[in-house]
Amino acid sequence: MAKRKTGVAPLEDDVPVVDWKKLNEKDRRTVSALRELAVDVADAATEKKDPVIRIPSRSLSNVMFNEKAQILEMGDKATSRTLFNLSQAKSFLQTMLVAEGVNRLIAQGKTLSIRGMYYQSKHTIKGIQEETFNSQDESDPIIEDLEVVLESLREELHLYAERKGEMVGNIVLTDRGDRIDCSRMGSGGYGIPSIVEPEVIELDPQKCKADYVLHVEKGTVWQRFNEDKFWKKHNCILTHGGGQPPRGVRRLLYRLNKELGLPIYCLLDNDPWGYYIYSVIKQGSINLAFESKRMAVPDAKFIGLRSKDFEECKLSPSVRIALNDNDRKRARQIAEYPWFVNKKKWQKEIALMLKNGFKLEVESLISKGISYVTEVYAPQRIAARDWLD
């Protein structure tokens, strides 16, 4: 996309006028990028050329591991989406529709769910009875394409996904002007929003007394830690992401680590999927490699569950879950990740799981006692610095 200075003249029809003076710095950058996109398309049409949008590739082949920064980064490969190519014309239109929708949101100072953006952009094209979007499965990838084109997070486009994840602990934050004391959230905890950017969630080092963050995989395990007041006894912050953590949770973990200097410890299942979740938190994901620098936490530690725990914790054979072919395949793939391949401890960990022939969920520790994980396992692992890195 050509770089040029763009003005802020109002768009046509019913599109709201963007008041530049009321925009924050991130919104100004996003609007400028949107205008550049629109001007490029308009210039091509004026010159009777085929309008084109270049979209950086989000495939594995265009992702590389930065050894120095210890994060995933996107390469420079890109694909072209053109209007006059019959196989690409619809996706070209969809991209421009979503871009217009984002511009509208910023102009109005509002946010919208990605489901809402699907409905806002969906309509029947006059004269041909063709739908702009047939399902949300079409609109979600277009939003991701627009993210990389504009070099902006989805949250900076004023779009959010369904909230998933909670937090409790010794920290006070400000959420859209409201003071939130996360040590007084009862049994439910503070629901981590999808959008946790500084303009929404303010973090003040002076209002955080915690020593570290313990991130657990599931809400059920988080509930046990919360009920046992683990965060109070061990002066920490406790989070979960409902399995694969959504972007809001990952972005908040990043901010807690980078802005407040809190170590991040991860308590996840002893299976290939638990390993993958840790990988995403630590190095970033392939789909969001272009934003790893604002989401990945290279210092995050994996405290368990570990393949050695079946014997060390003297667990009952009944808690073992046999590995299936898909588990084995996934484990071998993870072992070959560039960020794991040269780490002897991780290679030993994965090899032992494959040798064991079974996987373990964090909940398996309940067989040792309802609060074994909160009173013995986690405290001992953290105190002994017994983790994988």
Side-chain angles (χ1 to χ4, degrees):
M1 186 165 61
K3 298 294 182 182
R4 59 164 65 85
K5 294 182 179 180
T6 58
V8 291
L11 298 180
E12 298 296 329
D13 302 323
D14 64 337
V15 179
V17 177
V18 176
D19 189 340
W20 198 257
K21 294 180 181 179
K22 293 184 179 180
L23 300 183
N24 61 42
E25 183 179 348
K26 287 184 179 179
D27 284 346
R28 288 182 179 183
R29 184 173 66 83
T30 303
V31 169
S32 291
L34 284 166
R35 295 298 174 86
E36 289 172 13
L37 174 63
V39 170
D40 283 346
V41 172
D43 284 351
T46 300
E47 297 169 8
K48 297 183 179 180
K49 296 180 179 178
D50 188 2
V52 59
I53 303 172
R54 288 188 58 77
I55 302 174
S57 173
R58 290 180 280 111
S59 65
L60 179 60
S61 62
N62 195 39
V63 172
M64 56 209 70
F65 181 57
N66 184 321
E67 291 280 357
K68 184 177 181 180
Q70 291 290 294
I71 61 173
L72 296 181
E73 292 182 339
M74 182 170 284
D76 56 6
K77 294 180 182 178
T79 58
S80 294
R81 182 169 296 167
T82 62
L83 178 59
F84 295 162
N85 185 320
L86 288 179
S87 65
Q88 299 176 355
K90 184 174 182 179
S91 59
F92 184 98
L93 168 65
Q94 292 171 333
T95 306
M96 299 306 294
L97 280 173
V98 172
E100 186 275 330
V102 169
N103 187 81
R104 182 187 297 273
L105 287 175
I106 296 174
Q108 296 177 337
K110 297 183 179 181
T111 61
L112 189 66
S113 69
I114 55 176
R115 179 69 171 173
M117 178 55 73
Y118 159 64
Y119 278 111
Q120 178 176 288
S121 305
K122 178 180 174 63
H123 62 268
T124 303
I125 301 174
K126 186 177 180 180
I128 61 173
Q129 300 304 306
E130 178 78 18
E131 292 291 317
T132 53
F133 288 100
N134 293 315
S135 72
Q136 191 179 337
D137 290 339
E138 289 185 3
S139 64
D140 284 357
I142 294 295
I143 292 172
E144 293 177 353
D145 289 342
L146 199 59
E147 285 183 272
V148 294
V149 169
L150 302 178
E151 299 180 358
S152 297
L153 283 172
R154 178 175 65 203
E155 292 72 18
E156 292 174 334
L157 305 184
H158 288 219
L159 295 170
Y160 60 86
E162 183 179 356
R163 188 180 69 186
K164 186 173 70 169
E166 276 86 31
M167 177 169 74
V168 67
N170 294 324
I171 184 174
V172 177
L173 53 84
T174 302
D175 184 339
R176 295 191 185 276
D178 295 326
R179 182 179 181 274
I180 307 294
D181 186 344
C182 292
S183 68
R184 297 178 178 272
M185 299 304 296
S187 61
Y190 167 68
I192 300 174
S194 176
I195 301 178
V196 297
E197 297 309 297
E199 296 79 15
V200 177
I201 306 296
E202 298 177 32
L203 301 178
D204 184 347
Q206 300 302 317
K207 296 179 181 178
C208 178
K209 307 301 180 184
D211 294 326
Y212 62 86
V213 178
L214 177 63
H215 178 79
V216 301
E217 184 171 342
K218 307 166 193 168
T220 52
V221 177
W222 181 91
Q223 194 62 46
R224 167 51 46 209
F225 276 87
N226 188 26
E227 184 176 312
D228 290 351
K229 291 292 188 286
F230 180 91
W231 57 269
K232 189 173 184 178
K233 295 175 184 175
H234 298 278
N235 191 34
C236 69
I237 295 170
L238 180 66
T239 64
H240 84 83
Q244 175 69 37
R247 291 155 55 144
V249 172
R250 290 166 52 196
R251 177 73 171 133
L252 184 59
L253 290 175
Y254 171 92
R255 293 191 62 202
L256 291 170
N257 176 253
K258 295 299 180 182
E259 296 176 28
L260 304 185
L262 298 177
I264 308 294
Y265 302 123
C266 299
L267 179 62
L268 311 168
D269 287 346
N270 169 234
D271 63 18
W273 316 109
Y275 299 161
Y276 177 72
I277 289 173
Y278 172 68
S279 170
V280 168
I281 291 173
K282 187 177 180 68
Q283 271 84 34
S285 65
I286 293 171
N287 237 27
L288 287 176
F290 72 101
E291 281 298 351
S292 292
K293 61 183 179 296
R294 291 198 289 175
M295 298 186 77
V297 186
D299 294 333
K301 315 296 184 188
F302 183 94
I303 67 169
L305 283 184
R306 304 271 294 279
S307 298
K308 65 179 183 177
D309 288 337
F310 178 74
E311 291 189 359
E312 286 195 3
C313 298
K314 297 181 172 57
L315 297 177
S316 166
S318 63
V319 303
R320 298 179 300 186
I321 303 173
L323 295 176
N324 57 37
D325 290 341
N326 196 31
D327 291 328
R328 294 178 181 280
K329 179 181 178 181
R330 193 76 179 100
R332 294 189 181 100
Q333 288 175 340
I334 291 172
E336 294 176 359
Y337 282 173
W339 46 99
F340 282 155
V341 72
N342 293 320
K343 293 190 175 182
K344 293 181 180 180
K345 289 185 177 180
W346 266 108
Q347 293 298 317
K348 182 178 179 181
E349 169 70 21
I350 296 171
L352 181 55
M353 183 188 65
L354 290 170
K355 180 181 178 181
N356 286 343
F358 59 81
K359 53 190 178 182
L360 300 167
E361 294 183 333
V362 175
E363 290 90 336
S364 67
L365 294 176
I366 292 175
S367 65
K368 295 287 293 182
I370 292 177
S371 294
Y372 179 81
V373 67
T374 64
E375 295 176 355
V376 180
Y377 186 91
Q380 286 185 354
R381 282 290 163 88
I382 294 172
R385 300 173 65 85
D386 184 6
W387 53 59
L388 294 174
D389 192 2

